Amino acid sequence: MLPSSRKRKIYTKKGDREKIAEYFSCSFMMVCYALNFQRDSLLSRKIRDYAINELKCMYRL
């Protein structure tokens, strides 16, 4: 079990969040919620998958 102080997060480079929002035609806040694991919808999962696999963003457990 992970310690409660550590949160999952995907770190992006400058401008990547805007690219993701444009690619998925969604709001910037939706991308922020998805990358910070505050939402778990199908779109959020697609955003995280795109960020990690296509943009090569860093992921921390």
Side-chain angles (χ1 to χ4, degrees), residues 22-51:
E22 185 178 319
Y23 182 81
F24 286 101
S25 301
C26 64
S27 68
F28 180 80
M29 285 308 299
M30 180 62 198
V31 174
C32 293
Y33 289 144
L35 297 179
N36 290 322
F37 289 86
Q38 294 177 344
R39 300 283 191 268
D40 196 33
S41 65
L42 181 60
L43 178 59
S44 295
R45 292 176 187 193
K46 288 179 181 179
I47 289 171
R48 289 191 289 265
D49 181 63
Y50 181 78

Side-chain angles (χ1 to χ4, degrees), residues 2-29:
L2 294 173
S4 61
S5 62
R6 297 190 72 189
K7 295 190 178 193
R8 296 184 293 174
K9 186 172 182 175
I10 297 175
Y11 294 95
T12 59
K13 291 178 271 190
K14 186 175 182 177
D16 280 349
R17 291 181 184 218
E18 290 85 2
K19 288 179 191 175
I20 294 170
E22 185 178 319
Y23 182 81
F24 286 101
S25 301
C26 64
S27 68
F28 180 80
M29 285 308 299

Side-chain angles (χ1 to χ4, degrees), residues 11 13 16 50-58:
Y11 294 95
K13 291 178 271 190
D16 280 349
Y50 181 78
I52 291 171
N53 295 322
E54 299 297 324
L55 299 178
K56 308 297 183 206
C57 297
M58 288 183 18

